[in-house]
Amino acid sequence: MKKMTITKRISVTMRGFSILKQYCPGLAQGKAMYELINSIQPFVSIWFTAQIVNEISSQRRLKTILLYVLGAVLINFICALLKSIINHVCNEKESQMWSWFGKVFSDKQISLDFVDLENAAIQHQRQEAEENLYMFGNGLAQLFWGISALVRTLVYIVISLVMTVSLFISTSGNRFIDHPIWIGIILVCIAVGGLSKSKATISENDVFMEYCKNTVWFNRVFMFFGKELYMNPEKAKDVRIYSQNTVAEKMLDKLISHERDNQSDITKMALYPAIAQIIIGLANAVCYLFVAIKALFGAFGVGSIVQYVAVLSRLGEGLQELMYILSDNEVYCTHLQNLFEYLDLPNHMYQGSLTVEKRDDNEYYVEFRDVSFKYPNTDTYVLMHVNLKFKVGEKLAVVGMNGSGKTTFIKLMCRLYDPTEGEILLNGVNIKKYDYNEYMSIFSVVFQDFRLFSFSLGQNVSASASYDREKVIECLKKAGFAERLNSLPNDLDTFLYKDIDAEGVEISGGEAQKLALARALYKNTPFIILDEPTAALDPISEYEVYSKFNEIAGTKTSIYISHRLASCRFCDKIAVFHEGEIIQIGIHEELLADRRGKYYELWNAQAQYYTT
Ligand code: ADP
C-alpha cells in the first residue's frame, strides 16, 4: 500500500476534524476536554501522594498532611464532577454519531448530478468509501476514537517531562549517580520502549490493512445477503419460494473458510507486540533501578520514588502511545482519503442562473431542437434527431414500443440528463441557462418507477413536513383515493409502510399510483408529466383517471406516455417514437388515416389483442 506523506496526513486529519465539527458539533471538543481532565487527574494524585509520603517520612506535621489530603480530595471531586457533566453531554451526541456519518454520504449523494447516480464507477467509489463504515466509521469514527488517546498522550508526555526534571536536578553527592550521562541513558531507554512499540504496531497495522482489503469483498457479500436478501420483504418472497438462501449460504461458507485460511497472519500480529513488551520491560527496569539507587544515595525522599517511578512509566507509556497514534493515523487517513475522494467528486452539469420567467399570458413553449442522446458510458444513441415543439396548455401523448426512448425523452426534458447533441429550449432559451432548481420546479412527473416514502400520507402527497390539509385531500380525491382515505386509521397522518410507524399501512400498487398522481397534482406546476400513469390500476380506476384527465391536467401542459393508445385519443398532439426517433406526429384521426404508419400498426395490434 502506498504510504502517505506526513503533510498529506496532517491535511487529511484536519479535514476529518472539520467534517466531525460540521456534522457532530461539540463532540470532538467534548471528548478532548473529558480526556484532558481524565489524564491530568492521576498526576494530581501522584503529586499529592508523594507529598504526603515525604511528609510522613520526614517532619510528620499533621496539619500539612491533612491539607494535602483535603487538596487531593477536593481536586478529585471537581475533576469527577466536570467529567460526569461532559460525559452526559457527549454520550447523547456519540450515540447519534453513526447516523451523522451516514448523512455525510446522503448529503453528497443528493448533490451529485443525477447522471452520476447511474454511473457504476462513481457508485462503486461510494460503496468502497462507505463499506468500512461499520468497522472504521469511514475513518471518521477512528479519528474520533483517537482523540482520547491523543490528548492523554500529550498530557502524559508534557506533565511527565515537567515532573521528571527534578529527578535529574536533585543531587546525591555521588559523582557517578549525579553524572548528566544518566539523563541520556534514561531518555534512550524510554525512547527504545516507544520505538519497539511503534515497530510492533506498524507490523500489526500492515497485516490489518491487508486483512481489511480482503474483508471489503467479504463485507459487501455479507451485507448483500444479510440486508438485501433476507431483510427486504420484496425479495423475501422469491427467496422463500425458490429457496435462494441455500445458494447464499453456500457462498457465505466459501467466504468464511477463505477468511479462516488468512488467519495465519494472526501469529505475526501477536509475536511482535510480545517481543516489544519484553524490551519495554527491560527499559523500565533500568529507569526504576536508577531512581531507587539515587534515592538510596539520599538525593530525595521515599515519597519521591513513588512520584518518579510513576511519571517515568507514564512518560514511557506516553511515548509508546504516541507511536501507536502515528501509526493508527496512517490507517484512518487511508479510509478518510477514500471518503474525501468520493466527497470531492465534481458536478459537471452546467448550472445556469436565469430565473424561469413568470408570464401572465401563460405563453410558454418547449422545443426539442435536433436532440440526440446516448446514456453515459454507452455507445448507442437512444434518441436521434428529435424535433418537437409544444405550447403550454397542450396535451401531448407520447406512444411507441418498449425501449423506443419515451422515458428518456422525459428525463431530458426535466434535465435529469443533458442532450448529447442538439438543444432543448424553454421560450427560446436553452434550458441549461436556467437555474437548475428553479427549472426543475416547473415539472411534476409521475415516473413509471416512482417511489413513495415511509412518511405520513399527507407528507407523501405534499412532499413537505407541514402542508395544506384541504389541498392534499382535494388532490387525493382527484386522483381517485377518496374512498381509501376514509378507511385509514389516522386520516392524512397515517404512515405509509411500517419502517417508521408500526401502525403504518401497506398499500397496493394501484393505490400507490393514485398517491403518486396526487403528489404530482399537489405540486401544482405548469407541466405535468405522466409516464404510464395507469399501469398498475384496475380497469375501473384506469377509466376514472382517463375520463378525469382533462380535469386533472386543467390548463397545465401535460405529457402523457402510455402503451394504451385508446387513452391517448383525447390529446392535442400524439408523437410516435420508434427506435429513438419521432416517426409520426399529429392527432389521432390523422395518424390512424396513414395505413402504412406505425401508429396504425400499433392501434390495430392493440385492437386485435382486446378483441381476442
Ligand atoms: P421507453 O420509455 O420507450 O420504454 P426508455 O427511454 O426507457 O424507453 O429506454 C430507451 C433505451 O435506453 C432502451 O434501450 C434502454 O435500455 C436504454 N436505457 C434506458 N435507461 C438507461 C440507462 N440508465 N443507461 C443505459 N441505457 C438506458
Side-chain angles (χ1 to χ4, degrees):
M1 191 166 291
K2 199 166 158 270
K3 300 262 177 202
M4 238 186 256
T5 61
I6 289 287
T7 41
K8 180 80 193 161
R9 274 166 58 179
I10 292 173
S11 85
V12 166
T13 308
M14 294 316 287
R15 186 166 168 199
F17 275 122
S18 82
I19 292 185
L20 273 184
K21 199 169 145 205
Q22 184 187 347
Y23 282 85
C24 317
L27 181 63
Q29 295 92 321
K31 190 82 173 171
M33 185 59 77
Y34 178 92
E35 201 51 48
L36 188 66
I37 300 170
N38 197 38
S39 32
I40 289 177
Q41 204 179 349
F43 286 99
V44 173
S45 300
I46 291 172
W47 188 82
F48 275 109
T49 312
Q51 303 316 309
I52 293 167
V53 175
N54 277 341
E55 189 62 32
I56 292 171
S57 59
S58 56
Q59 300 183 20
R60 299 184 183 185
R61 286 167 299 182
L62 189 62
K63 204 172 153 199
T64 314
I65 294 171
L66 279 178
L67 268 179
Y68 281 136
V69 171
L70 197 69
V73 170
L74 198 66
I75 292 181
N76 274 307
F77 172 75
I78 293 170
C79 288
L81 191 68
L82 286 176
K83 274 185 348 189
S84 81
I85 293 172
I86 298 172
N87 213 13
H88 181 73
V89 177
C90 281
N91 271 353
E92 195 185 326
K93 285 178 189 276
E94 196 172 339
S95 64
Q96 296 167 346
M97 181 175 83
W98 295 94
S99 311
W100 291 112
F101 290 166
K103 190 153 188 316
V104 174
F105 282 88
S106 48
D107 281 354
K108 177 63 190 176
Q109 195 73 356
I110 203 130
S111 75
L112 276 179
D113 290 340
F114 179 80
V115 49
D116 289 336
L117 300 183
E118 293 189 334
N119 182 328
I122 287 179
Q123 291 313 313
H124 185 74
Q125 195 174 353
R126 174 187 60 75
Q127 226 178 347
E128 248 181 43
E130 210 176 15
E131 241 146 30
N132 54 44
L133 175 71
Y134 299 107
M135 267 164 106
F136 312 103
N138 310 106
L140 289 172
Q142 276 177 308
L143 186 67
F144 171 73
W145 294 327
I147 292 173
S148 303
L150 183 66
V151 173
R152 188 171 56 239
T153 305
L154 293 179
V155 169
Y156 278 11
I157 292 177
V158 171
I159 300 188
S160 305
L161 279 174
V162 170
M163 289 177 81
T164 317
V165 171
S166 58
L167 167 69
F168 298 111
I169 297 175
S170 57
T171 49
S172 64
N174 182 305
R175 276 176 53 202
F176 176 67
I177 295 294
D178 293 338
H179 199 281
I181 197 167
W182 280 104
I183 302 177
I185 293 173
I186 298 299
L187 291 182
V188 166
C189 284
I190 291 169
V192 165
L195 284 175
S196 63
K197 176 80 174 180
S198 148
K199 183 88 190 85
T201 314
I202 289 171
S203 66
E204 258 180 306
N205 279 343
D206 284 349
V207 175
F208 191 54
M209 290 299 277
E210 198 53 37
Y211 171 76
C212 293
K213 266 197 307 190
N214 294 336
T215 52
V216 165
W217 173 240
F218 180 81
N219 285 344
R220 187 176 304 173
V221 176
F222 212 93
M223 252 153 81
F224 168 74
F225 287 139
K227 227 166 114 187
E228 279 297 297
L229 211 57
Y230 297 142
M231 303 298 181
N232 185 339
E234 284 169 28
K235 293 191 179 164
K237 289 194 290 267
D238 293 298
V239 169
R240 278 158 200 243
I241 289 185
Y242 297 105
S243 305
Q244 292 284 19
N245 53 319
T246 51
V247 183
E249 272 148 26
K250 278 264 167 330
M251 282 184 79
L252 278 181
D253 276 352
K254 231 166 140 182
L255 277 170
I256 289 166
S257 58
H258 173 75
E259 284 303 302
R260 254 185 249 119
D261 292 346
N262 283 344
Q263 310 258 320
S264 58
D265 288 332
I266 301 290
T267 326
K268 210 166 147 195
M269 283 177 83
L271 191 64
Y272 287 118
I275 296 173
Q277 214 48 53
I278 295 173
I279 296 173
I280 292 167
L282 289 173
N284 281 348
V286 174
C287 296
Y288 300 161
L289 212 62
F290 171 72
V291 173
I293 293 172
K294 204 156 178 180
L296 262 180
F297 277 88
F300 37 77
V302 193
S304 299
I305 298 182
V306 181
Q307 173 179 323
Y308 293 132
V309 165
V311 292
L312 280 178
S313 73
R314 289 269 189 275
L315 184 60
E317 278 168 30
L319 274 177
Q320 289 157 29
E321 192 133 1
L322 187 65
M323 293 302 164
Y324 177 82
I325 289 169
L326 290 178
S327 151
D328 192 43
N329 170 267
E330 192 171 0
V331 177
Y332 63 70
C333 278
T334 316
H335 296 303
L336 283 175
Q337 185 59 16
N338 280 346
L339 173 67
F340 297 159
E341 276 168 20
Y342 164 69
L343 293 182
D344 290 340
L345 287 171
N347 289 74
H348 295 293
M349 261 187 147
Y350 180 79
Q351 305 282 331
S353 56
L354 285 185
T355 51
V356 177
E357 192 186 4
K358 307 264 181 304
R359 297 183 63 126
D360 294 335
D361 56 7
N362 231 4
E363 276 293 307
Y364 293 98
Y365 70 91
V366 173
E367 182 180 359
F368 274 61
R369 199 179 279 172
D370 204 21
V371 169
S372 298
F373 177 72
K374 51 185 176 186
Y375 279 97
N377 307 317
T378 62
D379 298 326
T380 324
Y381 277 94
V382 295
L383 287 182
M384 273 165 300
H385 306 294
V386 171
N387 285 291
L388 186 76
K389 191 169 175 176
F390 54 95
K391 278 198 341 196
V392 156
E394 267 188 350
K395 299 195 174 7
L396 171 76
V398 177
V399 301
M401 312 234 297
N402 273 344
S404 57
K406 303 184 296 294
T407 304
T408 307
F409 167 76
I410 301 298
K411 286 183 187 166
L412 288 187
M413 190 157 72
C414 303
R415 236 199 131 195
L416 292 178
Y417 298 92
D418 282 333
T420 315
E421 288 154 31
E423 54 180 356
I424 303 170
L425 312 163
L426 173 71
N427 294 344
V429 177
N430 192 320
I431 60 172
K432 289 185 189 179
K433 296 194 178 152
Y434 290 106
D435 174 87
Y436 186 71
N437 289 328
E438 205 176 312
Y439 180 75
M440 288 284 243
S441 72
I442 64 171
F443 294 100
S444 297
V445 191
V446 179
F447 284 107
Q448 232 171 343
D449 52 354
F450 66 87
R451 288 280 180 269
L452 297 172
F453 306 96
S454 303
F455 306 138
S456 75
L457 176 66
Q459 288 168 340
N460 261 288
V461 173
S462 63
S464 163
S466 54
Y467 51 87
D468 177 347
R469 293 180 83 87
E470 289 303 315
K471 192 173 156 194
V472 169
I473 293 174
E474 191 190 313
C475 295
L476 285 170
K477 281 185 182 158
K478 273 191 187 168
F481 198 80
E483 214 174 299
R484 182 76 168 101
L485 178 63
N486 290 335
S487 72
L488 293 179
N490 293 318
D491 197 47
L492 294 184
D493 301 317
T494 309
F495 271 76
L496 298 191
Y497 316 117
K498 301 193 187 294
D499 304 299
I500 292 184
D501 185 353
E503 310 264 288
V505 293
E506 294 297 335
I507 47 170
S508 71
E511 286 165 348
Q513 205 153 30
K514 288 177 184 174
L515 292 184
L517 199 59
R519 179 173 60 185
L521 290 175
Y522 186 94
K523 197 175 169 195
N524 194 19
T525 53
F527 288 80
I528 182 160
I529 301 171
L530 310 176
D531 188 352
E532 280 290 328
T534 58
L537 297 186
D538 58 69
I540 294 175
S541 310
E542 184 183 340
Y543 172 76
E544 276 173 16
V545 171
Y546 287 157
S547 54
K548 283 206 293 188
F549 188 75
N550 276 336
E551 187 196 331
I552 287 175
T555 55
K556 299 173 196 304
T557 307
S558 48
I559 301 172
Y560 189 75
I561 300 183
S562 181
H563 280 114
R564 298 178 214 216
L565 299 196
S567 64
C568 302
R569 291 172 67 168
F570 54 80
C571 290
D572 302 320
K573 210 182 244 178
I574 302 172
V576 184
F577 275 68
H578 186 61
E579 295 178 354
E581 291 180 74
I582 297 184
I583 52 167
Q584 282 181 291
I585 193 155
I587 59 168
H588 172 72
E589 289 74 20
E590 278 169 16
L591 296 176
L592 204 60
D594 180 359
R595 297 191 159 237
R596 281 180 303 173
K598 191 78 187 167
Y599 189 82
Y600 180 82
E601 182 195 325
L602 292 171
W603 178 268
N604 278 309
Q606 275 191 359
Q608 204 179 16
Y609 170 73
Y610 282 120
T611 47
T612 53

